Amino acid sequence: MTLANGRHTLAIPGPSVMPDRVLQAMHRAAPNIYTGELIDIAASIVPDLKAVAQTRHHVAMYIGNGHAAWEAALVNVLNVGDAVLVPATGNFSHGWAGMAERIGAVPQIIDFGKRSALDPALVAEALDGDKAHRIKAVLCVQTDTATSAKSDVAALRKAMDATGHPALLMVDCIACLGCDEMRMDDWGVDVMVAGCQKGLMTPPGMAFVFFNDKAAARRKTLERVSSYWDWEPRANPAQFYQYWCGTAPTHHLYGLREALDMIVHEEGLEAVWQRHGVLARAVWAALDAWSAQGPIEMNIPDAKVRSNAVTSVRIGAPTGTQLRDWLTEQAGVTLGIGLGMADPDDPAWHGFFRIGHMGHLNPHMLLGTLGSIEAGLNALQIPHGAGALEAAAKACAAG
Ligand SMILES: *Cc1c(COP(=O)(O)O)cnc(C)c1O
């Protein structure tokens, strides 16, 4: 016997829940790629993506996942041997740094550990020490999806400006674009990367690199950029195929068009951010209650630097895996695993779970996930404090 029959929910930090409208928009025969609707849809997506990023500058679109966006951004601004400064706040910061190294750049990592945001003052100190301006870019992950730490991008820019150092500010918003506030131009972000499968509610497969004129000028100084990854023709296509350097992601365009209608034209970006804020507070209220007793502990103690898109939780090994398995097998909801969080006594991810609360989500769905976790804690006799669901419901009611 299993209780899990019914609609399965993926409550992980990406891919996120896809709205039925998005899926239905994609359910169609192969469209004409020479003339007509698809060409108009691609052109209409560009300004709406810029609206979500809060930029008036440029966007290049790629068929790819978040890693593709990482590589695309790096190869358009770095030569072999260039240094990059990486204020690391978790697994994804280290991943981006590793990718920079593989293309011949030299990452200089400031490790902020696994439980806090970056400190702009220490980034500024490192830039101050680089009198020769070997560092060409600072790679910041706004929300590190592994730790769920959210860094203050505007404060980082201010600290960088105060040093007078010319390094580009490059920000990974893959986890949280459309969830946590991001104002690319106002905050002085030079390059920003995102994917379609998290806050943008579309099946994995499209990646975006936003860049301003300073970054575009840097691109022009490079010795070479591979023709596939070059952002220049993608951002300024003379022909339709140049958006993608080949065949368009036809069905993704229909899906993304629908998702952007929902975010930009129906709900509105500010309201989307606010909804994510309320739902995140509901998650934290439940976790505060559970943590009063037993092994549960939010990974980021300081609520000010928690993301509205994802929450990482410590529960101890092997309890984390047991709870996640119970939820998948008995409650029809799958939580995220821990990533790069391993302590010496937990070689894998058995002591962690993550709740993705990004994208197409309302109190009904979220309270279902939290209620299912409560059921799992009881079924597995994992000690926990009382009142989590009431606290979460109150947070939703408070708005
Ligand atoms: C998901 C994610 C990535 C990687 O995206 P993939 O689609 O898995 O390649 C990179 N950075 C952050 C912050 C992410 O959340």
Side-chain angles (χ1 to χ4, degrees):
M1 199 278 283
T2 173
L3 297 173
N5 291 312
R7 190 171 189 148
H8 191 90
T9 297
L10 196 61
I12 73 174
S16 63
V17 172
M18 295 150 202
D20 291 346
R21 278 174 61 182
V22 169
L23 297 175
Q24 281 153 10
M26 299 175 74
H27 191 81
R28 62 179 65 231
N32 188 346
I33 63 163
Y34 301 126
T35 57
E37 186 179 64
L38 192 71
I39 284 71
D40 298 338
I41 286 178
S44 76
I45 280 173
V46 169
D48 286 348
L49 282 174
K50 290 182 188 176
V52 174
Q54 297 283 289
T55 183
R56 299 154 58 95
H57 297 288
H58 318 286
V59 62
M61 300 185 277
Y62 296 84
I63 295 179
N65 57 16
H67 285 73
W70 273 352
E71 180 144 336
L74 295 170
V75 301
N76 276 282
V77 299
L78 297 176
N79 281 314
V80 170
D82 285 343
V84 291
L85 185 62
V86 185
T89 54
N91 204 47
F92 287 89
S93 306
H94 292 286
W96 202 8
M99 193 172 248
E101 190 164 25
R102 287 287 301 271
I103 64 157
V106 184
Q108 185 178 327
I109 295 174
I110 311 176
D111 198 338
F112 290 96
K114 296 173 183 173
R115 307 201 65 172
S116 63
L118 64 82
D119 177 355
L122 293 184
V123 176
E125 200 179 292
L127 292 176
D128 264 335
D130 176 42
K131 299 295 179 216
H133 294 173
R134 285 178 47 256
I135 296 170
K136 300 303 178 199
V138 174
L139 309 186
C140 162
V141 176
Q142 186 186 13
T143 289
D144 200 298
T145 325
T147 59
S148 66
K150 180 180 70 181
S151 289
D152 185 340
V153 174
L156 175 60
R157 174 84 262 175
K158 274 202 196 96
M160 288 173 65
D161 283 349
T163 67
H165 194 289
L168 296 171
L169 174 56
M170 301 175 62
V171 182
D172 169 350
C173 297
I174 297 169
C176 59
L177 189 67
C179 310
D180 287 316
E181 186 179 357
M182 163 46 60
R183 301 183 186 276
M184 181 173 166
D185 292 357
D186 288 355
W187 293 355
V189 174
D190 298 305
V191 178
M192 192 270 273
V193 299
C196 68
Q197 79 273 27
K198 300 192 186 185
L200 300 188
M201 314 188 297
T202 303
M206 287 185 76
F208 312 109
V209 179
F210 301 86
F211 57 98
N212 66 11
D213 291 337
K214 181 178 172 190
R218 167 82 190 157
R219 148 77 187 79
K220 291 198 166 53
T221 69
L222 297 192
E223 287 153 25
R224 63 167 64 86
V225 177
S226 84
S227 64
Y228 186 77
W229 293 113
D230 192 356
W231 67 28
E232 170 69 28
R234 289 172 185 262
N236 304 293
Q239 309 262 358
F240 181 64
Y241 79 90
Q242 289 180 312
Y243 276 123
W244 324 103
C245 194
T247 306
T250 50
H251 289 63
H252 273 76
L253 294 178
Y254 283 96
L256 184 63
R257 178 63 272 157
E258 196 72 21
L260 290 170
D261 279 347
M262 294 169 76
I263 294 168
V264 179
H265 300 295
E266 295 170 23
E267 187 174 358
L269 185 61
E270 302 268 344
V272 171
W273 289 340
Q274 278 175 27
R275 172 168 54 82
H276 279 83
V278 173
L279 296 175
R281 288 194 288 279
V283 172
W284 306 336
L287 282 161
D288 276 336
W290 284 326
S291 326
Q293 197 190 320
I296 290 182
E297 190 191 346
M298 267 186 278
N299 183 54
I300 302 295
D302 179 359
K304 290 192 296 298
V305 298
R306 286 185 203 140
S307 171
N308 288 342
V310 52
T311 299
S312 295
V313 184
R314 295 171 173 258
I315 191 169
T319 315
T321 293
Q322 287 166 349
L323 180 65
R324 281 186 282 99
D325 287 349
W326 189 91
L327 286 163
T328 295
E329 287 157 20
Q330 290 297 330
V333 55
T334 296
L335 301 179
I337 60 173
L339 277 182
M341 300 291 288
D343 296 327
D345 60 342
D346 180 11
W349 44 68
H350 300 307
F352 302 88
F353 65 86
R354 289 178 299 158
I355 304 171
H357 33 97
M358 50 178 60
H360 191 55
L361 192 70
N362 58 27
H364 161 211
M365 298 160 74
L366 183 67
L367 292 170
T369 295
L370 297 174
S372 300
I373 294 173
E374 174 97 21
L377 295 173
N378 282 297
L380 300 173
Q381 298 182 328
I382 301 166
H384 59 280
L389 293 178
E390 191 180 352
K394 280 187 174 147
C396 290

